[in-house]
């Protein structure tokens, strides 16, 4: 089931596409390690189509064959092991990436329309949301902060962003 994107309309899609184009043109597109290296360009094309016309469910239905079958994971003892990629990997990847660009698009739109802030909301029903996620619901965040937070990359030596966490079910909306 896709996230419920409250502001997914042609205007927000245009801003979200501009954010994706920004990342690709600046070499900042972060491809998941679960994507086959030879499939990254195809994934970028599918993500672009999803943002332009569809949603994360549409993307999920098309990316499973672009994923690796096995990955390396750390063990509790500090070693590594090989494990099968989880069945829900396509859903998590599609939902995460689509939502990142959607939130960036909403934030850019807010700035362009003079609103300056966006509100965090639960875009997917969760019977037991994580405490950190529940604390964010209803919080208003400056739109510029949202863009900065979500443009950062793993390994940039910044604290874990409040938004954009994998599988959180949170998104942002215009206020």
């Amino acid at each position: 089931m896709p996230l419920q994107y409250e502001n997914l309309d042609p205007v927000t899609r245009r801003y979200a596409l501009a954010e994706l184009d920004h990342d690709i043109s600046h070499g900042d597109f972060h491809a998941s390690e679960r994507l086959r290296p030879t499939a990254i360009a195809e994934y970028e094309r599918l993500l672009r189509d999803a943002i332009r016309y569809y949603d994360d469910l549409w993307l999920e239905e098309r990316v499973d064959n672009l994923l690796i079958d096995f990955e390396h994971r750390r063990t509790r003892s500090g070693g590594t092991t090989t494990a099968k990629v989880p069945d829900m990997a396509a859903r998590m990847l599609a939902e995460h990436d689509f939502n990142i660009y959607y939130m960036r698009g909403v934030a850019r739109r807010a700035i362009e329309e003079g609103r300056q802030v966006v509100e965090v909301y639960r875009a997917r029903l969760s019977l037991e949301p994580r405490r950190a996620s529940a604390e964010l619901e209803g919080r208003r965040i400056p739109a510029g902060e949202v863009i900065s937070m979500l443009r950062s990359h793993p390994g940039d030596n910044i604290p874990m962003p409040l938004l954009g966490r994998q599988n959180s079910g949170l998104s942002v909306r215009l206020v």
Side-chain angles (χ1 to χ4, degrees), residues 70-84:
F70 295 92
E71 64 187 352
H72 295 288
R73 293 190 190 153
R74 291 219 172 270
T75 63
R76 290 183 184 156
S77 63
T80 59
T81 187
T82 302
K84 186 175 180 334

Side-chain angles (χ1 to χ4, degrees), residues 112-126:
E112 291 296 317
E113 293 178 356
R115 300 174 191 233
Q116 303 308 317
V117 297
V118 294
E119 182 178 62
V120 178
Y121 73 101
R122 180 149 304 281
R124 181 185 61 235
L125 177 65
S126 177

Side-chain angles (χ1 to χ4, degrees), residues 26-40:
H26 288 86
D28 290 336
F29 180 76
H30 174 72
S32 168
E33 293 178 1
R34 288 182 170 169
L35 280 171
R36 288 185 286 113
T38 57
I40 293 172

Side-chain angles (χ1 to χ4, degrees), residues 16-37 39-51 59 63 66 93-94 96-102 104 150-154 156:
L17 279 170
E19 286 295 310
L20 176 61
D21 289 341
H22 172 273
D23 282 0
I24 292 171
S25 68
H26 288 86
D28 290 336
F29 180 76
H30 174 72
S32 168
E33 293 178 1
R34 288 182 170 169
L35 280 171
R36 288 185 286 113
I40 293 172
E42 175 67 7
Y43 180 73
E44 288 174 357
R45 185 188 68 74
L46 289 169
L47 179 57
R48 176 182 305 285
D49 286 349
I51 292 168
L59 182 60
V63 300
L66 304 180
L93 176 66
H96 177 262
D97 287 353
F98 188 93
N99 191 33
I100 290 289
Y101 288 104
Y102 167 79
R104 285 169 57 178
L150 298 177
R151 278 189 179 169
S152 62
H153 302 287
D156 276 355

Side-chain angles (χ1 to χ4, degrees), residues 118-141 162-163 168-173:
V118 294
E119 182 178 62
V120 178
Y121 73 101
R122 180 149 304 281
R124 181 185 61 235
L125 177 65
S126 177
L127 298 176
E128 294 182 34
R130 295 181 201 138
R131 196 177 105 221
S133 295
E135 289 172 359
L136 285 174
E137 287 181 62
R139 188 166 162 195
R140 292 184 177 195
I141 302 174
L162 300 174
L163 291 172
S168 73
L170 298 179
S171 197
V172 298
R173 62 181 159 214

